[in-house]
Amino acid sequence: MKFFIDTADVKEIREAASYGLLDGVTTNPTLIARTGKPFHTVIKEICEVVDGPISAEVTSIDFEGMKREAGELAEIHENIVVKIPLIMEGLKCVRWCFENNIDTNVTLCFSPTQALLAAKAGATYISPFVGRLDDISHEGMDLVAQIIEIYNAYDYETEVLVASVRHPLHVVEAARMGADVCTMPFSVINQLVKHPLTDLGLAKFMEDWKKVPK
Ligand code: G3P
């Protein structure tokens, strides 16, 4: 399973990249706004840090506007993946990107029918938002299972990118289901390595090591 980081904070991205486990980056308008910097400046900075797919989201909600933005974003760097919301105008843009060899990440997916449409339109990635479904008492990971089942049934090439991840259990479930990608906040990436028995065991080894004659 590929690991993407879900942030626009270049410091966090740099740190996560230093672990040697990072395959890509996803951003959204909210994450960009938190940086306080202009959109294209942040995206260019991220492209210098990570050599992998970098999702940058359009903010138009009409086909013509999205098409223009998609073209501009794709010009920034060859690793740019244009992130497009799952509305009908967005699907038209996904199809246009597919025909123009621009990679896409279809975002704000909350249902299997939406995911089916995205695959038919030629999306590179589909982003089911599991945490936001959990927030409204729907099983977010059930959606991921349904999408994987549908995509496997028809051999769709669209990759399932689990998004809106809130905790390590989302990552475990995504991996068990065979999701292609999991995008995680920096905090969740760091949680994955932690186990209290590892810390206790290491402390004991360090303590005992002191007793070994030098
Ligand atoms: O990048 C999209 C997604 O991961 C957002 O997550 O936590 O705002 O629902 P969240």
Side-chain angles (χ1 to χ4, degrees), residues 19 36 46 51 61 63 89 102-103 110 116 120-121 127 197:
Y19 304 158
I46 296 173
D51 184 18
I61 51 172
F63 176 45
E89 291 294 287
I102 296 173
D103 286 344
F110 294 97
L116 177 58
K120 283 181 72 69
S127 285
L197 290 179

Side-chain angles (χ1 to χ4, degrees), residues 160-201:
V160 179
L161 189 165
V162 179
S164 184
V165 162
R166 302 279 168 75
H167 49 69
L169 267 185
H170 280 146
V171 183
V172 173
E173 289 176 65
R176 291 184 71 188
M177 287 177 189
D180 300 286
V181 190
C182 191
T183 190
M184 303 161 243
F186 184 58
S187 57
V188 173
I189 294 179
N190 287 308
Q191 277 176 288
L192 298 181
V193 73
K194 292 197 194 309
H195 197 287
L197 290 179
T198 305
D199 295 341
L200 278 173

Side-chain angles (χ1 to χ4, degrees), residues 6 26-28 31 83 107 129 131-132 135 163-166 183:
D6 194 31
T26 51
T27 66
N28 63 36
L31 297 171
K83 210 170 171 190
T107 189
F129 273 31
R132 292 194 195 182
D135 288 344
S164 184
V165 162
R166 302 279 168 75
T183 190

Side-chain angles (χ1 to χ4, degrees), residues 51-201:
D51 184 18
I54 316 287
S55 288
E57 190 158 340
V58 297
T59 49
S60 300
I61 51 172
D62 64 293
F63 176 45
E64 288 305 322
M66 285 182 186
K67 226 164 60 173
R68 181 181 40 77
E69 281 188 63
E72 287 167 5
L73 289 169
E75 283 291 305
I76 294 179
H77 196 280
E78 59 185 5
N79 286 342
I80 291 293
V81 176
V82 179
K83 210 170 171 190
I84 300 174
L86 221 163
I87 54 177
M88 202 49 89
E89 291 294 287
L91 291 173
K92 280 155 63 177
C93 188
V94 172
R95 168 56 60 174
W96 178 83
C97 287
F98 177 75
E99 285 162 358
N100 286 277
N101 291 317
I102 296 173
D103 286 344
T104 53
N105 174 359
V106 181
T107 189
L108 291 168
C109 174
F110 294 97
S111 80
T113 51
Q114 290 180 320
L116 177 58
L117 293 177
K120 283 181 72 69
T124 315
Y125 301 97
I126 183 70
S127 285
F129 273 31
V130 296
R132 292 194 195 182
L133 279 170
D134 291 352
D135 288 344
I136 57 159
S137 304
H138 284 250
E139 283 287 351
M141 292 310 300
D142 283 356
L143 171 61
V144 176
Q146 288 174 329
I147 296 172
I148 290 174
E149 186 187 341
I150 293 167
Y151 283 10
N152 285 345
Y154 295 96
D155 285 334
Y156 283 125
E157 285 177 17
T158 303
E159 293 192 33
V160 179
L161 189 165
V162 179
S164 184
V165 162
R166 302 279 168 75
H167 49 69
L169 267 185
H170 280 146
V171 183
V172 173
E173 289 176 65
R176 291 184 71 188
M177 287 177 189
D180 300 286
V181 190
C182 191
T183 190
M184 303 161 243
F186 184 58
S187 57
V188 173
I189 294 179
N190 287 308
Q191 277 176 288
L192 298 181
V193 73
K194 292 197 194 309
H195 197 287
L197 290 179
T198 305
D199 295 341
L200 278 173

